[in-house]
Amino acid sequence: MNAKDAFKLSMDMSDFVLKTYVSDLTDAELLTHAVKGVNHLAWQLGHLISSEQQLLNAICPGAAADLPAGFADQHSKETTGTDDPTKFLTRSRYVELYDQQRRATKAAIDKLPESDFDKPAPDQFKDFAPTVGAMFNLIASHPMMHAGQFATARRTLGKPVLI
């Protein structure tokens, strides 16, 4: 296995967990907060998608998939307290955008020579992802950072344990 395969394998595991956790949720259930003070699941899905776009474009300019107009702003830090269902998308639309973004990331991984993974990351990311490879690792694992909140929200909703 090479680095490209490892990044994509990590992405696939994150995708499996995230998509399993949202597989049986309704659009209304996406507005569930795991606990008070935590963003609801719709916001988190949007955050994961827009973050991946930002991170990928930072290391491979123009490689990320386009998002609908205003999408990143809709899922920004400034909108964390917003619970208005009209401000968020359907589960199927979030999954569609998530998949588009993941395909773009995997295509960027495939295009880069492995030696580029050792290049320095952009300055604003160097504290936690010092290289391009570390950035791809961050992109791959970011959904897992939110997985516990999805699992907890599922418990709040009385959903079955799926994983």
Side-chain angles (χ1 to χ4, degrees):
M1 179 182 299
N2 61 34
K4 291 181 182 193
D5 294 336
F7 292 137
K8 291 188 281 186
L9 186 62
S10 182
M11 289 174 73
D12 290 346
M13 179 54 74
S14 291
D15 296 352
F16 168 75
V17 171
L18 183 70
K19 288 180 177 182
T20 298
Y21 282 160
V22 302
S23 66
D24 61 348
L25 298 180
T26 67
D27 297 339
E29 288 171 334
L30 286 183
L31 296 174
T32 301
H33 298 263
V35 296
K36 185 178 179 182
V38 171
N39 299 317
H40 56 68
L41 302 181
W43 185 93
Q44 289 188 52
L45 285 169
H47 161 74
L48 289 167
I49 295 162
S50 59
S51 293
E52 184 163 338
Q53 183 198 44
Q54 176 194 11
L55 293 168
L56 181 57
N57 278 335
I59 53 177
C60 298
D66 291 330
L67 294 174
F71 185 89
D73 291 336
Q74 190 176 4
H75 301 89
S76 68
K77 288 179 183 177
E78 290 73 33
T79 62
T80 57
T82 304
D83 287 331
D84 179 354
T86 66
K87 304 286 184 191
F88 298 94
L89 307 179
T90 64
R91 180 184 55 82
S92 62
R93 183 66 171 136
Y94 280 116
V95 171
E96 177 186 339
L97 291 170
Y98 181 87
D99 287 343
Q100 287 175 4
Q101 210 56 245
R102 284 298 190 170
R103 283 191 301 272
T105 300
K106 287 180 176 182
I109 288 169
D110 287 337
K111 288 179 185 175
L112 281 181
E114 285 207 29
S115 59
D116 282 7
F117 297 142
D118 291 324
K119 289 184 177 180
D123 286 341
Q124 74 255 40
F125 303 108
K126 283 187 177 180
D127 287 343
F128 56 91
T131 64
V132 170
M135 292 283 290
F136 277 113
N137 187 60
L138 172 61
I139 290 169
S141 62
H142 188 196
M144 296 302 280
M145 295 176 190
H146 292 264
Q149 294 174 61
F150 281 79
T152 303
R154 290 184 60 77
R155 292 292 178 100
T156 299
L157 290 165
K159 294 290 188 178
V161 175
L162 297 177
I163 300 175

